[in-house]
């Protein structure tokens, strides 16, 4: 027998509708690329998102077509989040920090029909326009007065002009909640970037769960500033959460340095912010230098890489800001675990509490997790035994978008599909997960991925290189940086500088390895593969030693 409750579809448009109806005058504040501060309300955002959806419909955009964005955190990007998904098309947020070849690859793989971009990214658009023949037009997210002159792009449109052609009388269509809403490519896998395609249902369920008190704990009292980019997993869902709970939103645009962030946090009386540890390092450095204190910040959500215990301590003890350590992945929409304390932890001393809070946290409702050994046997939750972390849930990826490998990323385990995260972790008796290592070989520098294989392939292309392996070495500022281990060909002379110069122009500059270590041999494992775990054990601290020395 079925229940007798209404079958209302969980759609992203309902979030902005709710925000308009119940929190219509709540503000959205954006630092724009132009440098000034823009201010409007959820009601304004809803009206413009409908205008945008109407304008896109007139342009001929059909449900399920992909619409790319290359943009910072700002109100126009938010309008795209709601306008594009709300009409049934798919918002494809592209990471502008990737090399232009990867951006072109991603836009083509996704078959983007239109690409919206902030003016900052005009050079990138110029570089890829000729290679993205499927894109019908590039739309500069600005007004007519600031449109680039003589940009040399044939099909260039102006965002504000486009919006004027749409009608605010547009009514959101109702469709199947399983329809795709948003596409985000992750480079956190080996090989080409892979597309994770969220649905309306998965996004709305994730929003409910992520807003809960023991998750990100958001309410209408909050002023939220997502430092984490909207091109990286929907800014961890905060643009949706803010609409669900009616929190004021503050967008920092491109100004992510400590001084600019602090100025905005104070000016808008922000209570909650979220970002990767590197960003917080910049902000804390600025506070230390200037001797300033926060007047409104209550909580800082730190994730994407391990939150150093010293950062947790400084936030809490020096600035009175509570830290929430979160773990997640693009493949998890992204929230998996949050380091929210249980009642019994509250009696602990600060030092004991910090040990618990430094872990990646416990699963939010909706995410099942377990750790397994190399044979797939489940391991105990004793806080000491580590194994590969597997997850499943309604906002966990089932397959990658247009997956060309013909094999599902999921592992069949105990009769169920589980997603192997590539993280190695322990889980304690309280269910607090702690990442101890990564089985995947990609490098995470300042919250952004660097593909080790690409760096190795380039090194191997050098005539003097016989073998090359690139590993993630721990780094004081960026968490991890690429370190190249190289065997020279017999009799070949090759210096560190010559090899690093060989990378110029072939990759984004920040991908260049920090150092090269020349060795006589690199040991191979049983399957003939380089054992990167062994290399990490051997050279993982090389860059720390260098800095210290
Ligand atoms: P992404 O899909 O780019 O968000 O990257 C996800 C990966 O980042 C995870 O699989 C982890 O390896 C890493 N990660 C995310 N959050 C944390 C965290 N709090 N601590 C350590 N690593 C993290």
């Amino acid at each position: 027998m079925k229940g007798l409750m209404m079958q209302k579809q969980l759609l992203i448009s309902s979030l902005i509708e709710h925000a308009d109806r119940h929190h219509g005058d709540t503000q959205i504040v954006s630092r724009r690329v132009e440098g000034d501060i823009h201010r409007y309300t959820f009601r304004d955002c809803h009206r413009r998102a409908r205008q945008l959806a109407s304008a896109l419909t007139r342009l001929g955009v059909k449900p399920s077509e992909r619409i790319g964005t290359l943009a910072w955190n700002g109100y126009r990007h938010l309008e795209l989040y709601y306008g594009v998904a709300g009409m049934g098309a798919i918002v494809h947020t592209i990471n502008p920090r990737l090399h232009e070849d990867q951006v072109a690859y991603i836009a083509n793989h996704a078959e983007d029909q239109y690409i919206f971009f902030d003016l900052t990214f005009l050079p990138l658009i110029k570089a890829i326009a000729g290679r993205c023949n499927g894109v019908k037009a590039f739309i500069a997210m600005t007004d007519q007065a600031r449109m680039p002159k003589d940009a040399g792009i044939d099909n260039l449109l102006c965002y504000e002009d486009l919006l004027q052609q749409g009608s605010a009388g547009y009514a959101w269509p109702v469709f199947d909640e399983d329809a795709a809403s948003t596409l985000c490519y992750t480079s956190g896998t080996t090989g080409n970037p892979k597309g994770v395609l969220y649905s309306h249902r998965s996004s709305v369920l994730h929003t409910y769960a992520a807003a809960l008190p023991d998750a990100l704990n958001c309410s209408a009292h909050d002023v939220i500033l997502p430092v984490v980019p909207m091109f990286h997993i929907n800014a961890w869902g905060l643009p949706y959460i803010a609409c669900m709970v009616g929190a004021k939103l503050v967008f920092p645009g491109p100004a992510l340095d400590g001084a600019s962030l602090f100025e905005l946090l104070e000016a808008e009386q922000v209570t909650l912010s979220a970002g990767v540890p590197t960003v917080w390092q910049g902000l804390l450095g600025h506070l230390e230098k200037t001797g300033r204190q926060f007047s409104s910040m209550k909580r800082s959500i730190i994730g994407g890489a391990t939150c150093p215990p010293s950062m947790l301590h400084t936030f809490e003890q020096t600035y009175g800001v509570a830290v929430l350590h979160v773990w997640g992945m693009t493949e998890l929409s992204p929230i998996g675990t949050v380091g929210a304390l249980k009642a019994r932890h509250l009696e602990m001393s600060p030092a004991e509490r910090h040990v618990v809070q430094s872990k990646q946290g416990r699963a939010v409702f909706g995410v099942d997790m377990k750790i397994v050994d190399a044979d797939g046997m489940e391991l105990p939750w004793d806080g000491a035994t580590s194994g590969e972390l597997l997850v499943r849930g309604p906002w966990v990826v089932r397959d990658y978008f247009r997956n060309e490998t013909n094999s599902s990323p999921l592992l069949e385990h105990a009769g169920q599909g589980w997603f192997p995260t590539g993280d190695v972790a322990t889980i304690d008796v309280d269910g607090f997960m702690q990442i101890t290592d990564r089985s995947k070989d990609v490098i995470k520098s300042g919250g952004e991925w660097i593909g080790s294989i690409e760096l190795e392939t380039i090194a191997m292309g050098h005539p003097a290189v016989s073998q090359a392996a690139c590993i993630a070495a721990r780094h004081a500022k960026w968490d991890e940086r690429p370190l190249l281990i190289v065997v020279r060909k017999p009799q070949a002379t090759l210096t560190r500088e010559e090899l690093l110069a060989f990378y110029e122009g072939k990759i984004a500059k920040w991908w260049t390895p920090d150092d090269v270590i020349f060795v006589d041999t690199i040991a191979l494992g049983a399957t003939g593969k380089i054992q990167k775990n062994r290399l990490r054990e051997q050279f993982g601290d090389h860059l720390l030693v260098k800095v210290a020395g």
Side-chain angles (χ1 to χ4, degrees):
M1 186 185 289
K2 285 203 168 180
L4 293 173
M5 308 311 280
M6 290 186 189
Q7 194 71 50
K8 185 168 189 296
Q9 302 301 303
L10 301 175
L11 298 179
I12 285 177
S13 55
S14 65
L15 292 168
I16 188 72
E17 246 175 349
H18 174 86
D20 176 349
R21 182 167 264 262
H22 299 278
H23 307 278
D25 56 359
T26 297
Q27 287 198 8
I28 299 167
V29 181
S30 311
R31 192 195 289 279
R32 300 204 290 187
V33 174
E34 295 90 334
D36 59 345
I37 299 285
H38 174 272
R39 205 176 281 278
Y40 74 171
T41 65
F42 276 128
R43 185 155 299 136
D44 298 325
C45 175
H46 188 203
R47 177 176 38 77
R48 283 172 49 98
R50 280 173 301 172
Q51 262 178 279
L52 177 65
S54 157
L56 288 175
T57 308
R58 286 184 192 178
L59 264 186
V61 173
K62 303 268 179 315
S64 297
E65 284 186 348
R66 273 75 66 199
I67 306 296
T69 67
L70 278 163
W72 300 108
N73 292 6
Y75 67 104
R76 291 187 180 117
H77 208 174
L78 190 68
E79 290 160 9
L80 282 154
Y81 265 43
Y82 285 106
V84 174
M87 68 175 288
I90 298 169
V91 197
H92 171 207
T93 53
I94 310 175
N95 185 341
R97 291 187 181 132
L98 296 175
H99 188 264
E100 60 191 46
D101 291 347
Q102 280 184 322
V103 172
Y105 167 85
I106 289 174
N108 287 330
H109 188 266
E111 295 179 341
D112 287 339
Q113 300 296 302
Y114 292 90
I115 294 183
F116 288 74
F117 67 98
D118 269 333
L119 287 177
T120 322
F121 303 119
L122 182 62
L124 182 55
I125 294 292
K126 283 184 184 171
I128 64 162
R131 285 186 264 169
C132 298
N133 297 328
V135 176
K136 293 177 183 144
F138 295 91
I139 298 147
M141 292 161 70
T142 190
D143 53 24
Q144 191 50 247
R146 293 181 183 84
M147 277 298 280
K149 307 276 175 285
D150 309 319
I153 301 166
D154 299 339
N155 38 1
L156 185 66
L157 300 179
C158 166
Y159 184 87
E160 293 298 335
D161 285 359
L162 177 72
L163 215 71
Q164 289 319 310
Q165 290 157 28
S167 155
Y170 180 90
W172 297 119
V174 174
F175 45 81
D176 183 356
E177 63 186 17
D178 283 322
S181 61
T182 319
L183 178 62
C184 183
Y185 280 71
T186 175
S187 327
T189 50
T190 46
N192 280 327
K194 295 189 175 59
V196 180
L197 188 61
Y198 310 109
S199 69
H200 284 259
R201 173 185 156 83
S202 74
S203 304
V204 173
L205 289 178
H206 177 268
T207 308
Y208 275 119
L212 282 171
D214 273 359
L216 306 188
N217 188 12
C218 300
S219 86
H221 303 192
D222 277 313
V223 181
I224 302 177
L225 186 151
V227 181
V228 51
M230 289 169 78
F231 56 74
H232 193 178
I233 338 168
N234 306 317
W236 297 350
L238 289 167
Y240 299 137
I241 295 173
C243 280
M244 182 176 273
V245 304
K248 172 177 164 183
L249 262 176
V250 183
F251 289 125
L256 302 177
D257 59 288
S260 309
L261 278 179
F262 183 70
E263 185 196 311
L264 198 59
L265 289 166
E266 285 300 297
E268 300 303 326
Q269 290 291 285
V270 170
T271 60
L272 170 66
S273 188
V276 294
T278 342
V279 159
W280 298 127
Q281 248 169 9
L283 182 65
L284 291 176
H286 173 76
L287 292 184
E288 200 183 299
K289 211 166 62 199
T290 55
R292 302 287 302 271
Q293 288 276 342
F294 295 112
S295 64
S296 57
M297 263 277 274
K298 293 196 176 66
R299 275 164 298 136
S300 136
I301 302 168
I302 304 183
T306 305
C307 169
S310 59
M311 182 173 283
L312 211 152
H313 190 266
T314 309
F315 259 120
E316 241 191 62
Q317 305 297 315
T318 313
Y319 299 109
V321 173
V323 166
L324 262 187
H325 190 193
V326 303
W327 168 86
M329 300 180 75
T330 309
E331 286 90 337
L332 266 93
S333 307
I335 309 285
T337 63
V338 181
L341 296 173
K342 291 183 167 179
R344 67 185 199 78
H345 295 131
L346 302 179
E347 283 146 31
M348 290 177 159
S349 70
E352 285 172 318
R353 254 196 303 111
H354 288 172
V355 172
V356 180
Q357 285 171 292
S358 295
K359 297 190 176 193
Q360 275 71 15
R362 53 194 167 97
V364 296
F365 172 76
V367 173
D368 288 342
M369 62 178 181
K370 63 177 164 185
I371 43 173
V372 296
D373 66 14
D375 300 321
M377 294 299 290
E378 187 164 359
L379 294 166
W381 291 22
D382 58 10
T385 314
S386 67
E388 170 146 29
L389 181 66
L390 309 184
V391 293
R392 65 176 181 194
W395 56 82
V396 177
V397 74
R398 173 160 53 85
D399 202 352
Y400 291 108
F401 179 59
R402 298 185 54 210
N403 178 1
E404 276 126 23
T405 64
N406 265 341
S407 72
S408 155
L410 300 192
L411 289 182
E412 270 313 307
H413 198 257
Q416 297 278 345
W418 288 78
F419 176 71
T421 62
D423 287 323
V424 177
T426 61
I427 305 177
D428 70 18
V429 284
D430 286 313
F432 277 68
M433 183 273 286
Q434 180 162 34
I435 293 185
T436 53
D437 200 357
R438 279 219 306 264
S439 58
K440 51 195 171 199
D441 293 331
V442 278
I443 300 151
K444 203 161 196 200
S445 168
E448 299 278 350
W449 292 109
I450 296 178
S452 61
I453 293 179
E454 193 165 341
L455 296 184
E456 285 160 8
T457 310
I458 293 172
M460 293 297 289
H462 192 286
V465 171
S466 139
Q467 226 183 349
C470 190
I471 61 160
R474 281 174 278 280
H475 190 276
K477 177 168 183 199
W478 301 109
D479 204 40
E480 289 178 357
R481 288 292 303 156
L483 173 66
L484 204 57
I485 321 288
V486 170
V487 180
R488 291 188 195 95
K489 284 194 180 148
Q491 272 85 50
T493 53
L494 173 68
T495 63
R496 168 189 184 278
E497 286 67 29
E498 282 163 355
L499 187 51
L500 294 182
F502 191 61
Y503 281 94
E504 271 170 34
K506 299 189 175 83
I507 44 165
K509 212 169 169 42
W510 62 276
W511 274 41
T512 311
D514 274 27
D515 205 0
V516 183
I517 297 178
F518 291 102
V519 294
D520 291 337
T521 49
I522 296 178
L524 300 182
T527 54
K529 286 190 196 157
I530 293 176
Q531 291 178 297
K532 292 221 182 152
N533 282 347
R534 294 269 298 278
L535 289 178
R536 273 203 290 266
E537 274 165 30
Q538 209 180 338
F539 299 113
D541 286 340
H542 173 75
L543 299 175
L544 298 177
V545 175
K546 267 194 84 173
V547 171

